[in-house]
Amino acid sequence: MRIVIIGGVAAGAKAAAKAKRVNPDLEIIVFQDEAEVAYSACGLPYVIGGTITDQNKLVIRTPEEFAKDGIRVETGRRVVALDAANRRMRVRNLQDQSEESIAYDRLIVATGALPIVPRVEGIDLDGVLTLRKIGDLARFKAIFDTLRPQKAVIVGAGYIGMELAEAFHELNIKTTLIEKFPRILPKFDPEMAQLVHDQLVEQDIELILGDGLSKLQGENGRVIAVVTESGKVIPADLVVIAIGVRPNTELAMAAGIALGKTGAIAVDSRMQTNIPGVFAAGDCAETIDRVSGQPTWVPLGDIANLQGRVAGENAAGGNAHFPGVFGTAIFKAFELNVAMTGLSEQAARAQGFEPVSVLLRRGDRARYYPGGREVTIKLIADRRDGRLLGAQVIGPGKADKMIDIAATALLGKLTCHDLENADLAYSPPFSPVLSPMIMAAGALSSRVSGVAD
Amino acid sequence: MRIVIIGGVAAGAKAAAKAKRVNPDLEIIVFQDEAEVAYSACGLPYVIGGTITDQNKLVIRTPEEFAKDGIRVETGRRVVALDAANRRMRVRNLQDQSEESIAYDRLIVATGALPIVPRVEGIDLDGVLTLRKIGDLARFKAIFDTLRPQKAVIVGAGYIGMELAEAFHELNIKTTLIEKFPRILPKFDPEMAQLVHDQLVEQDIELILGDGLSKLQGENGRVIAVVTESGKVIPADLVVIAIGVRPNTELAMAAGIALGKTGAIAVDSRMQTNIPGVFAAGDCAETIDRVSGQPTWVPLGDIANLQGRVAGENAAGGNAHFPGVFGTAIFKAFELNVAMTGLSEQAARAQGFEPVSVLLRRGDRARYYPGGREVTIKLIADRRDGRLLGAQVIGPGKADKMIDIAATALLGKLTCHDLENADLAYSPPFSPVLSPMIMAAGALSSRVSGVAD
């Protein structure tokens, strides 16, 4: 039996490895249109900023390593047509443009997401780029080495935009972030997003909010300025388009694979599409938000890995289920660690919950123990039953630890009453005597029950 | 209405503050036989080792600060007799030995725990001490400053013993740890405890296991050597007795307050004893192990705070419940962070579970991102249904984060299948793409279900 996997970055690579482990007798072929497979795109901003000095470190596994495990990885091959009825596909060799027809028994679509690039005037100028694939690093490096950019504009203040802002700051490139939405981090509640806003301003990142990209001005084929919708002209010799990504679904759609509400490929909990034997995983696939129960689309590397594991197991004959996501995310913005899980208060209200929240700032170690740093926590529960709905944690302190506690609490469908009596690990080098998350849950619990903490 | 609280270190101090917040009209008196209240005993080893330079920082709140909130704190006062039938007690002023009779409406017993000191020959020699109270620091400092000890023996390789070993190492005192049990860390499974054993040996701590304290040899009233039960003679000019603590229950017992199986004061989930209106909290009180459902006794500062909060609320007329503990604990042993929650594999088997476990070692960041450190995780579930039973995490990496994820998973009664699809926070500076805890859960899940991960 042959499993073909289209795409080999995160979900595809993971699915291949998992399928082979479940059934070593399977023939597994991965078609990948880039030169590399199994790499961490999340590491790109850190290569650009210089934290990671060798971009090859981002490659987790080479085609040769896959081959040792009996997995055939074909790079530089694009699947250009899919015939699901006859279980065949046409695969183009991107080097010589030759095509061949390949049959499969089971298929995993892991085509990922594509950067959204607005077709505005000047978008093809030199110095304008997206940074999503490992191959984009060479383009950036060429610009950086030859043009020595002094002034960058990043269009889009999402996670990637902010990580790039920090990377450019490391490279001493004066950076402006343009965001069409009136504030940064719309998934966070405004008072939390403001903490990051202030940090960016403090770090000398210029923020232009509520204003979109109108066009790009060039000279001799090179970008020299960004013009916003409101007419602002911002000089720039480097422009990164980071307004977001969309699921890469053209191939699937053409083959009759159904999309969901979000525009990503609809799958059941086994990651199977509407076509039996055809699975989808990673940034091209839809999933379920486990707090609201609604379809959602979360194009993140860890989710891709989790989904790839399930799709791989099932394609190989197993019966694994992917239960959905909580929208957990974290990123570093200069001195701040910025994390969230579940719903914001705004999103919870919009979805029909009756959210109540607390906001508190605490150290992440015993006060008397050196090296502690602060975290600001916003914890949200439903007023009616105390069920936790979401958390946001921002600060120089251990936001990752706090948000993982909250994410696990959501997974356990805990209430704030449950969490306020959590038995978390305490010792002065690691935590205050009661974890900031317990303190937040206690304060929230009082608001739900009406007793002051 | 008057609430009297006996003891004001952790549970007592927390209970006083909570009761006052619940009902500001209450009269609250705290009797404390030491000079300080509301201090962190957990910080003592770090004062000794010099990480914390000012011992006053351990004091979280002074009697004067309590007074501002309308709470009367009487230090240097020992409650020497309790008449529960008539709701009165006799309180001795430790300065002038005068006694007075005090009435109460509600009582919270927070008498803590006492170090176990074996009545062996030489136990009263100079240079032999326990380190449990903030007042013990002065005694240590006197010995350290005058005798300049070169060679210490710590009797007991529990958390405190090991923290002190590290502190003495910082002070360039050659240290030997004696433990009667054949290995250190009996609550951990042997292969995990061995990691800490190796670390201690590597740090030049001498370990004598399976051998107890027989007697102490002195010269001119000062200790010069420890003699073990097997007859070993270990030269020492500083000896710390750290073989454990016992609940301080004499006063309660004499008043007819019932003890539980563990020897600590029995309480219901409201922290109320067998006598209505009398509560107990902290190191003197028993609780429930939430994995096994059995009574347990966990004398740790965070648990004392959680219990104090509940006892204070209820004494003030509220109706809070303390649901029990998972035995979560963490400590630092030189370069290693050492943490556990729930049951060890050995304990699980002894309690009638059918444990199955995995052991894995992983980095706590993406491999390509600098600064990651390793953690070794042992994760344990019941073979029959995959329910998580416990976790142990040891390593230079983020053991605190990993164990808090596991402790929250236990709180949510999660299975390893649940945890392997947790939506934890990923970004290269914070985590590998799949958290080590997810990897462990995935591997464990395969063992429960029979499919290789």
Side-chain angles (χ1 to χ4, degrees):
Chain A
M1 194 171 86
R2 174 189 283 175
I3 298 178
V4 170
I5 301 171
I6 309 177
V9 178
K14 190 79 176 175
K18 180 70 177 181
K20 195 72 187 179
R21 274 199 297 275
V22 170
N23 183 353
D25 298 331
L26 292 173
E27 182 189 1
I28 298 175
I29 310 176
V30 179
F31 291 114
Q32 161 74 338
D33 58 5
E34 302 175 58
E36 285 88 4
V37 279
Y39 67 83
S40 169
C42 312
L44 294 178
Y46 305 99
V47 174
I48 289 169
T51 303
I52 299 165
T53 50
D54 176 5
Q55 73 172 70
N56 293 321
K57 284 190 182 169
L58 298 188
V59 177
I60 294 146
R61 222 163 165 215
T62 62
E64 293 70 34
E65 288 167 317
F66 278 103
K68 276 185 202 153
D69 290 340
I71 295 166
R72 190 173 133 204
V73 171
E74 302 269 356
T75 57
R77 298 287 194 289
R78 179 171 292 152
V79 178
V80 291
L82 189 58
D83 177 355
N86 295 303
R87 303 196 169 192
R88 300 197 72 87
M89 63 183 75
R90 219 164 62 240
V91 181
R92 183 178 298 159
N93 181 328
L94 295 177
Q95 206 153 19
D96 61 15
Q97 305 303 319
S98 64
E99 290 186 6
E100 60 181 327
S101 175
I102 301 284
Y104 63 85
D105 297 295
R106 299 271 167 77
L107 176 69
I108 300 174
V109 180
T111 44
L114 297 169
I116 298 172
V117 180
R119 298 310 311 164
V120 298
E121 185 186 327
I123 195 75
D124 295 319
L125 288 165
D126 275 358
V128 181
L129 73 170
T130 58
L131 284 165
R132 170 144 184 99
K133 300 185 166 195
I134 198 164
D136 297 332
L137 283 174
R139 292 171 57 213
F140 171 78
K141 201 169 157 23
I143 293 169
F144 185 72
D145 289 348
T146 58
L147 299 181
R148 288 282 158 195
Q150 301 293 310
K151 197 160 184 337
V153 170
I154 298 169
V155 183
Y159 302 154
I160 303 289
M162 275 183 276
E163 287 172 348
L164 286 175
E166 184 174 350
F168 290 170
H169 187 266
E170 296 289 315
L171 298 174
N172 291 312
I173 302 171
K174 171 80 185 128
T175 301
T176 302
L177 263 171
I178 298 179
E179 170 59 52
K180 190 158 185 175
F181 197 78
R183 63 180 180 87
I184 62 165
L185 294 174
K187 287 192 175 176
F188 286 69
D189 286 313
E191 74 279 24
M192 295 297 283
Q194 190 62 40
L195 301 174
V196 183
H197 180 115
D198 295 346
Q199 170 74 190
L200 292 173
V201 170
E202 195 174 304
Q203 298 285 346
D204 211 24
I205 303 297
E206 194 180 346
L207 284 176
I208 296 178
L209 302 176
D211 203 357
L213 171 67
S214 168
K215 61 180 176 180
L216 297 148
Q217 293 179 339
E219 219 173 67
N220 303 324
R222 286 182 180 171
V223 70
I224 57 163
V226 170
V227 183
T228 69
E229 289 173 342
S230 76
K232 281 199 186 77
V233 178
I234 309 151
D237 44 14
L238 173 64
V239 176
V240 180
I241 306 296
I243 55 177
V245 294
R246 59 180 176 81
N248 184 5
T249 55
E250 280 76 5
L251 184 72
M253 272 172 74
I257 297 172
L259 305 188
K261 275 187 194 177
T262 64
I265 297 172
V267 290
D268 61 18
S269 72
R270 297 180 68 246
M271 304 308 295
Q272 192 165 241
T273 68
N274 63 312
I275 299 178
V278 177
F279 300 83
D283 291 359
C284 64
E286 190 172 88
T287 189
I288 294 292
D289 181 285
R290 295 178 76 173
V291 180
S292 70
Q294 297 300 308
T296 188
W297 177 60
V298 176
L300 291 174
D302 53 335
I303 303 303
N305 271 272
L306 290 172
Q307 292 180 341
R309 196 162 68 168
V310 170
E313 178 160 347
N314 291 334
N319 190 29
H321 291 266
F322 183 70
V325 302
F326 291 99
T328 310
I330 191 166
F331 69 99
K332 195 167 99 60
F334 295 93
E335 303 300 316
L336 297 180
N337 305 320
V338 185
M340 73 168 299
T341 188
L343 303 177
S344 68
E345 189 166 10
Q346 290 189 331
R349 194 167 291 117
Q351 303 230 14
F353 294 99
E354 290 183 19
V356 54
S357 71
V358 288
L359 193 108
L360 58 77
R361 183 173 297 196
R362 283 283 187 290
D364 64 4
R365 282 184 176 181
R367 255 179 300 183
Y368 53 80
Y369 196 94
R373 290 160 304 170
E374 281 191 335
V375 285
T376 298
I377 295 180
K378 178 164 182 172
L379 189 64
I380 301 146
D382 195 294
R383 187 189 305 278
R384 295 165 295 187
D385 55 6
R387 185 187 164 196
L388 292 169
L389 298 174
Q392 294 153 59
V393 185
I394 297 177
K398 295 177 182 176
D400 58 331
K401 173 173 155 178
M402 296 302 138
I403 214 69
D404 277 359
I405 294 168
T408 310
L410 291 181
L411 183 58
K413 295 187 165 62
L414 300 186
T415 67
C416 49
H417 307 292
D418 296 325
L419 189 58
E420 74 172 320
N421 282 310
D423 186 359
L424 301 178
Y426 162 60
S427 170
F430 302 101
S431 174
V433 66
L434 293 184
S435 164
M437 203 39 91
I438 289 179
M439 296 303 290
L444 188 55
S445 191
S446 307
R447 295 207 176 181
V448 168
S449 67
V451 178
D453 184 72
Chain B
M1 192 170 86
R2 174 188 285 175
I3 298 177
V4 171
I5 300 171
I6 310 177
V9 178
K14 190 80 178 176
K18 180 71 178 181
K20 195 72 186 178
R21 272 199 300 275
V22 171
N23 183 354
D25 299 331
L26 292 172
E27 182 190 1
I28 298 175
I29 311 176
V30 179
F31 291 115
Q32 161 74 337
D33 58 4
E34 302 175 60
E36 284 89 4
V37 281
Y39 67 83
S40 169
C42 312
L44 294 178
Y46 304 100
V47 175
I48 290 170
T51 303
I52 299 164
T53 49
D54 176 6
Q55 75 172 70
N56 293 321
K57 285 190 179 168
L58 298 188
V59 177
I60 294 147
R61 222 164 167 215
T62 63
E64 293 70 33
E65 289 168 316
F66 277 103
K68 277 184 203 154
D69 290 339
I71 296 166
R72 189 173 134 205
V73 171
E74 302 269 355
T75 58
R77 298 288 194 288
R78 179 171 292 153
V79 179
V80 291
L82 188 58
D83 178 354
N86 295 303
R87 301 193 170 193
R88 297 199 74 85
M89 63 183 76
R90 220 165 61 242
V91 181
R92 183 178 298 159
N93 180 327
L94 295 178
Q95 205 154 18
D96 61 16
Q97 305 302 318
S98 64
E99 290 186 5
E100 60 180 329
S101 177
I102 301 284
Y104 64 86
D105 297 294
R106 298 272 167 79
L107 177 68
I108 299 174
V109 180
T111 45
L114 298 169
I116 297 171
V117 180
R119 297 313 311 164
V120 299
E121 187 185 326
I123 196 74
D124 296 319
L125 287 165
D126 276 358
V128 180
L129 74 169
T130 58
L131 285 166
R132 171 143 185 97
K133 299 185 168 197
I134 198 164
D136 296 333
L137 282 175
R139 293 171 56 216
F140 172 77
K141 202 169 157 21
I143 292 169
F144 184 72
D145 289 348
T146 58
L147 298 182
R148 288 280 158 197
Q150 301 294 309
K151 197 161 181 339
V153 170
I154 298 169
V155 183
Y159 302 155
I160 304 287
M162 275 183 277
E163 286 172 348
L164 286 174
E166 183 174 350
F168 290 169
H169 187 266
E170 296 289 315
L171 299 173
N172 291 313
I173 302 172
K174 168 81 185 130
T175 301
T176 301
L177 263 171
I178 298 179
E179 170 59 52
K180 190 156 183 174
F181 197 78
R183 63 180 179 86
I184 61 165
L185 296 175
K187 286 192 175 177
F188 285 69
D189 287 311
E191 74 278 25
M192 295 297 283
Q194 188 64 40
L195 300 175
V196 183
H197 179 114
D198 294 345
Q199 170 76 189
L200 294 173
V201 170
E202 194 175 306
Q203 297 286 348
D204 210 24
I205 304 296
E206 194 179 346
L207 284 175
I208 296 178
L209 301 175
D211 203 356
L213 172 67
S214 168
K215 60 179 178 178
L216 297 146
Q217 292 178 342
E219 218 174 67
N220 303 323
R222 287 183 178 169
V223 69
I224 57 163
V226 169
V227 182
T228 69
E229 289 174 341
S230 78
K232 281 199 186 76
V233 179
I234 309 152
D237 42 15
L238 173 64
V239 176
V240 180
I241 307 296
I243 56 178
V245 293
R246 60 181 174 82
N248 183 6
T249 56
E250 279 75 4
L251 184 73
M253 272 172 73
I257 297 172
L259 306 187
K261 273 187 193 176
T262 64
I265 297 172
V267 289
D268 63 16
S269 72
R270 297 180 68 246
M271 303 309 294
Q272 190 164 242
T273 68
N274 62 315
I275 300 179
V278 178
F279 300 83
D283 290 0
C284 65
E286 190 172 272
T287 190
I288 295 291
D289 181 286
R290 295 177 78 173
V291 180
S292 69
Q294 297 299 309
T296 188
W297 177 60
V298 176
L300 292 174
D302 53 335
I303 303 304
N305 271 273
L306 290 174
Q307 293 180 340
R309 194 162 69 167
V310 170
E313 178 160 347
N314 291 335
N319 188 29
H321 292 265
F322 183 69
V325 302
F326 291 100
T328 311
I330 190 166
F331 69 100
K332 194 169 98 60
F334 295 91
E335 303 300 317
L336 296 182
N337 305 321
V338 185
M340 73 168 297
T341 189
L343 303 177
S344 68
E345 189 166 11
Q346 290 187 331
R349 195 166 289 117
Q351 303 230 16
F353 294 98
E354 289 183 21
V356 54
S357 71
V358 288
L359 194 109
L360 57 79
R361 182 173 298 195
R362 283 284 188 289
D364 64 4
R365 281 184 176 182
R367 255 180 300 183
Y368 52 81
Y369 197 93
R373 291 160 304 170
E374 281 191 336
V375 285
T376 298
I377 296 180
K378 178 165 182 172
L379 189 64
I380 301 146
D382 194 294
R383 187 188 305 277
R384 295 166 294 188
D385 55 7
R387 185 185 164 198
L388 292 168
L389 299 173
Q392 296 155 58
V393 184
I394 298 177
K398 297 177 180 175
D400 59 331
K401 173 173 156 179
M402 296 302 136
I403 215 70
D404 277 359
I405 295 168
T408 309
L410 291 180
L411 182 57
K413 295 189 164 59
L414 300 187
T415 66
C416 50
H417 306 293
D418 296 325
L419 189 58
E420 74 171 321
N421 282 310
D423 186 359
L424 301 177
Y426 163 61
S427 168
F430 302 101
S431 172
V433 67
L434 294 184
S435 164
M437 203 41 91
I438 289 179
M439 296 303 290
L444 187 53
S445 190
S446 306
R447 294 207 178 182
V448 168
S449 68
V451 177
D453 185 71

PDB file of all heavy atoms in Angstrom, chain B residues 212-223:
ATOM      1  N   GLY B 212      22.190   5.019  59.387  1.00  0.00           N
ATOM      2  CA  GLY B 212      21.577   6.073  60.187  1.00  0.00           C
ATOM      3  C   GLY B 212      22.550   6.693  61.179  1.00  0.00           C
ATOM      4  O   GLY B 212      23.701   6.257  61.336  1.00  0.00           O
ATOM      5  N   LEU B 213      22.068   7.701  61.877  1.00  0.00           N
ATOM      6  CA  LEU B 213      22.864   8.366  62.917  1.00  0.00           C
ATOM      7  C   LEU B 213      22.831   7.526  64.189  1.00  0.00           C
ATOM      8  O   LEU B 213      21.757   7.183  64.683  1.00  0.00           O
ATOM      9  CB  LEU B 213      22.235   9.742  63.192  1.00  0.00           C
ATOM     10  CG  LEU B 213      22.804  10.521  64.386  1.00  0.00           C
ATOM     11  CD1 LEU B 213      24.242  10.951  64.131  1.00  0.00           C
ATOM     12  CD2 LEU B 213      21.918  11.737  64.674  1.00  0.00           C
ATOM     13  N   SER B 214      23.991   7.223  64.699  1.00  0.00           N
ATOM     14  CA  SER B 214      24.062   6.477  65.961  1.00  0.00           C
ATOM     15  C   SER B 214      24.335   7.423  67.127  1.00  0.00           C
ATOM     16  O   SER B 214      23.619   7.450  68.112  1.00  0.00           O
ATOM     17  CB  SER B 214      25.156   5.414  65.872  1.00  0.00           C
ATOM     18  OG  SER B 214      25.419   4.881  67.149  1.00  0.00           O
ATOM     19  N   LYS B 215      25.392   8.213  67.012  1.00  0.00           N
ATOM     20  CA  LYS B 215      25.686   9.198  68.070  1.00  0.00           C
ATOM     21  C   LYS B 215      26.629  10.267  67.540  1.00  0.00           C
ATOM     22  O   LYS B 215      27.142  10.166  66.424  1.00  0.00           O
ATOM     23  CB  LYS B 215      26.290   8.504  69.278  1.00  0.00           C
ATOM     24  CG  LYS B 215      27.591   7.767  68.993  1.00  0.00           C
ATOM     25  CD  LYS B 215      28.127   7.129  70.263  1.00  0.00           C
ATOM     26  CE  LYS B 215      29.399   6.347  69.951  1.00  0.00           C
ATOM     27  NZ  LYS B 215      29.995   5.731  71.144  1.00  0.00           N
ATOM     28  N   LEU B 216      26.836  11.262  68.385  1.00  0.00           N
ATOM     29  CA  LEU B 216      27.720  12.365  68.020  1.00  0.00           C
ATOM     30  C   LEU B 216      28.852  12.418  69.016  1.00  0.00           C
ATOM     31  O   LEU B 216      28.646  12.273  70.233  1.00  0.00           O
ATOM     32  CB  LEU B 216      26.928  13.677  68.035  1.00  0.00           C
ATOM     33  CG  LEU B 216      25.796  13.681  67.003  1.00  0.00           C
ATOM     34  CD1 LEU B 216      24.591  14.465  67.485  1.00  0.00           C
ATOM     35  CD2 LEU B 216      26.292  14.204  65.673  1.00  0.00           C
ATOM     36  N   GLN B 217      30.053  12.604  68.518  1.00  0.00           N
ATOM     37  CA  GLN B 217      31.210  12.710  69.400  1.00  0.00           C
ATOM     38  C   GLN B 217      31.581  14.177  69.564  1.00  0.00           C
ATOM     39  O   GLN B 217      31.529  14.941  68.605  1.00  0.00           O
ATOM     40  CB  GLN B 217      32.393  11.944  68.808  1.00  0.00           C
ATOM     41  CG  GLN B 217      32.171  10.443  68.806  1.00  0.00           C
ATOM     42  CD  GLN B 217      33.327   9.701  68.172  1.00  0.00           C
ATOM     43  OE1 GLN B 217      34.145  10.266  67.443  1.00  0.00           O
ATOM     44  NE2 GLN B 217      33.412   8.397  68.458  1.00  0.00           N
ATOM     45  N   GLY B 218      31.982  14.537  70.804  1.00  0.00           N
ATOM     46  CA  GLY B 218      32.322  15.932  71.056  1.00  0.00           C
ATOM     47  C   GLY B 218      33.643  16.086  71.785  1.00  0.00           C
ATOM     48  O   GLY B 218      34.244  15.116  72.257  1.00  0.00           O
ATOM     49  N   GLU B 219      34.084  17.321  71.819  1.00  0.00           N
ATOM     50  CA  GLU B 219      35.308  17.663  72.541  1.00  0.00           C
ATOM     51  C   GLU B 219      35.077  19.066  73.074  1.00  0.00           C
ATOM     52  O   GLU B 219      34.719  19.967  72.296  1.00  0.00           O
ATOM     53  CB  GLU B 219      36.485  17.652  71.567  1.00  0.00           C
ATOM     54  CG  GLU B 219      37.771  17.091  72.162  1.00  0.00           C
ATOM     55  CD  GLU B 219      38.846  16.983  71.085  1.00  0.00           C
ATOM     56  OE1 GLU B 219      39.292  18.058  70.604  1.00  0.00           O
ATOM     57  OE2 GLU B 219      39.193  15.854  70.708  1.00  0.00           O
ATOM     58  N   ASN B 220      35.235  19.258  74.360  1.00  0.00           N
ATOM     59  CA  ASN B 220      34.984  20.571  74.971  1.00  0.00           C
ATOM     60  C   ASN B 220      33.583  21.101  74.641  1.00  0.00           C
ATOM     61  O   ASN B 220      33.411  22.283  74.364  1.00  0.00           O
ATOM     62  CB  ASN B 220      36.025  21.598  74.512  1.00  0.00           C
ATOM     63  CG  ASN B 220      37.437  21.132  74.830  1.00  0.00           C
ATOM     64  OD1 ASN B 220      37.657  20.511  75.876  1.00  0.00           O
ATOM     65  ND2 ASN B 220      38.360  21.398  73.924  1.00  0.00           N
ATOM     66  N   GLY B 221      32.645  20.190  74.591  1.00  0.00           N
ATOM     67  CA  GLY B 221      31.267  20.611  74.346  1.00  0.00           C
ATOM     68  C   GLY B 221      30.934  20.861  72.892  1.00  0.00           C
ATOM     69  O   GLY B 221      29.808  21.214  72.560  1.00  0.00           O
ATOM     70  N   ARG B 222      31.927  20.679  72.022  1.00  0.00           N
ATOM     71  CA  ARG B 222      31.677  20.919  70.595  1.00  0.00           C
ATOM     72  C   ARG B 222      31.723  19.609  69.817  1.00  0.00           C
ATOM     73  O   ARG B 222      32.552  18.744  70.098  1.00  0.00           O
ATOM     74  CB  ARG B 222      32.746  21.843  70.025  1.00  0.00           C
ATOM     75  CG  ARG B 222      32.555  23.257  70.484  1.00  0.00           C
ATOM     76  CD  ARG B 222      33.565  24.178  69.858  1.00  0.00           C
ATOM     77  NE  ARG B 222      33.293  25.538  70.300  1.00  0.00           N
ATOM     78  CZ  ARG B 222      34.118  26.553  70.097  1.00  0.00           C
ATOM     79  NH1 ARG B 222      35.254  26.379  69.463  1.00  0.00           N
ATOM     80  NH2 ARG B 222      33.792  27.754  70.531  1.00  0.00           N
ATOM     81  N   VAL B 223      30.860  19.509  68.829  1.00  0.00           N
ATOM     82  CA  VAL B 223      30.827  18.295  68.034  1.00  0.00           C
ATOM     83  C   VAL B 223      32.119  18.186  67.221  1.00  0.00           C
ATOM     84  O   VAL B 223      32.653  19.180  66.715  1.00  0.00           O
ATOM     85  CB  VAL B 223      29.584  18.276  67.106  1.00  0.00           C
ATOM     86  CG1 VAL B 223      29.681  19.307  66.004  1.00  0.00           C
ATOM     87  CG2 VAL B 223      29.355  16.876  66.531  1.00  0.00           C
TER      88      VAL B 223
END
